[in-house]
């Protein structure tokens, strides 16, 4: 069990560029989540997949953001036309349905800096 | 709307001593779960302890225990015999049972420093 892995750990980009992050969940977990964490704040929910279906998106997820989870395995989060306000840490988590109480296992995050 | 409040931005404790981190929450739900997560400098959020609201008994995990007061909507974390490795941000989190899946609501965190 290698845990939840995220790639890259750090990403520096210029405003207006597109970026894509990858998350590999724990292999037997069918649920996958994306959160965003800004400095001095707790994580904020962005979106959630059960298998390959994206079941919920928060209001924070503007139309510049898109997430996919093809075949219910890894997931990607893409941000188009990045803005300085997108600078944050993007956390991925996974869980196994039926555990109860959403016991989430988190990755180490991707730190995005938009210059 | 549910909210989670952590009123202590920073705390410190001497190694081997006991420290209590505070958390209050607001909800109209009756069934929910509460969590404490630890985020060390490595940034990975690690689940410390979980409490089911329908259980009156306070959860414990080794040196970590909670004081869950449902009527007061209070959920504090006690760390006994503090160790240097406990130095981290600690986040209190809430999710309603059967509610929006995965939409954990986090507080702003408490930065805990354990001093030798």
């Amino acid at each position: 069990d290698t845990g939840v892995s995220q790639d890259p750990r750090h990403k520096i980009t210029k405003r207006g560029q597109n970026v894509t992050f990858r998350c590999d969940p724990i292999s037997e977990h069918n649920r996958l989540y994306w959160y965003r964490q800004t400095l001095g704040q707790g994580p904020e929910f962005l979106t959630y997949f059960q298998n390959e279906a994206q079941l919920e998106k928060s209001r924070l997820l503007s139309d510049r953001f898109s997430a996919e989870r093809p075949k219910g395995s890894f997931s990607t989060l893409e941000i188009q036309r990045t803005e300085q306000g997108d600078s944050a840490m993007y956390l991925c988590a996974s869980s196994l349905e039926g555990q109860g109480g959403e016991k989430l296992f988190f990755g180490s995050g991707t730190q995005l800096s938009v210059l | 709307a549910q909210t989670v409040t952590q009123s202590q931005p920073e705390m410190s404790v001497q190694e081997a001593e006991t420290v209590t981190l505070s958390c209050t929450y607001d909800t109209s739900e009756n069934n929910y779960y509460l969590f404490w997560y630890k985020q060390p400098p490595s940034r990975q959020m690690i689940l410390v302890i979980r409490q089911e609201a329908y259980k009156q008994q306070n959860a414990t995990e080794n040196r970590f225990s909670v004081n869950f007061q449902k009527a007061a909507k209070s959920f504090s974390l006690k760390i006994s015999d503090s160790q240097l490795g406990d130095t981290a941000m600690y986040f209190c989190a809430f999710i309603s049972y059967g509610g929006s899946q995965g939409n954990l609501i986090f507080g702003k965190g408490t930065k805990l420093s354990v001093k030798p």
Side-chain angles (χ1 to χ4, degrees):
Chain A
D1 179 6
T2 56
V4 178
S5 61
Q6 292 188 245
D7 183 68
R9 277 198 43 105
H10 302 273
K11 179 70 177 178
I12 300 173
T13 191
K14 291 183 179 178
R15 190 176 51 189
Q17 298 293 306
N18 299 343
V19 294
T20 300
F21 311 140
R22 178 180 170 123
C23 171
D24 287 89
I26 292 172
S27 58
E28 65 268 26
H29 285 184
N30 61 342
R31 292 180 173 169
L32 186 148
Y33 315 85
W34 285 99
Y35 282 78
R36 183 178 75 181
Q37 186 178 19
T38 53
L39 201 61
Q41 302 292 323
E44 297 170 292
F45 172 74
L46 292 179
T47 190
Y48 146 68
F49 291 84
Q50 179 150 319
N51 301 310
E52 65 275 9
Q54 188 174 17
L55 296 187
E56 187 164 353
K57 295 192 284 187
S58 100
R59 290 189 301 272
L60 294 174
L61 214 65
S62 76
D63 56 6
R64 296 185 297 105
F65 288 69
S66 62
E68 295 182 344
R69 192 184 182 198
K71 303 178 183 177
S73 56
F74 70 92
S75 176
T76 57
L77 177 67
E78 181 184 16
I79 309 175
Q80 296 182 326
R81 305 181 304 280
T82 52
E83 301 172 355
Q84 288 185 325
D86 297 331
S87 294
M89 185 156 69
Y90 290 83
L91 294 167
C92 177
S94 68
S95 73
L96 182 63
E97 184 181 5
Q99 278 188 321
E102 296 303 318
K103 191 181 283 188
L104 272 61
F105 294 83
F106 284 84
S108 296
T110 293
Q111 182 68 52
L112 173 66
S113 298
V114 182
L115 305 178
Chain B
Q2 290 101 347
T3 57
V4 176
T5 302
Q6 293 179 251
S7 58
Q8 304 152 316
E10 291 192 41
M11 291 192 72
S12 65
V13 63
Q14 291 296 129
E15 194 176 9
E17 293 190 349
T18 295
V19 64
T20 299
L21 308 184
S22 301
C23 173
T24 57
Y25 59 94
D26 188 25
T27 183
S28 57
E29 303 282 341
N30 194 45
N31 294 320
Y32 48 87
Y33 294 88
L34 294 161
F35 306 83
W36 280 97
Y37 277 88
K38 168 185 176 181
Q39 188 176 40
S42 66
R43 310 183 316 188
Q44 185 170 22
M45 298 280 285
I46 300 165
L47 177 64
V48 174
I49 202 164
R50 179 181 73 168
Q51 175 79 42
E52 292 133 310
Y54 64 86
K55 288 188 176 178
Q56 292 188 339
Q57 187 174 5
N58 288 325
T60 62
E61 287 286 344
N62 301 314
R63 297 183 296 108
F64 299 87
S65 61
V66 299
N67 183 3
F68 173 49
Q69 301 289 327
K70 191 172 184 180
K73 295 179 182 173
S74 170
F75 183 61
S76 61
L77 175 70
K78 185 171 83 171
I79 306 174
S80 303
D81 186 25
S82 298
Q83 300 175 0
L84 296 178
D86 295 334
T87 292
M89 285 291 293
Y90 286 82
F91 292 94
C92 180
F94 166 100
I95 189 166
S96 63
Y97 182 80
S100 174
Q101 295 298 320
N103 194 354
L104 272 173
I105 299 168
F106 287 86
K108 291 189 176 183
T110 295
K111 184 178 181 181
L112 177 67
S113 298
V114 180
K115 300 184 185 306

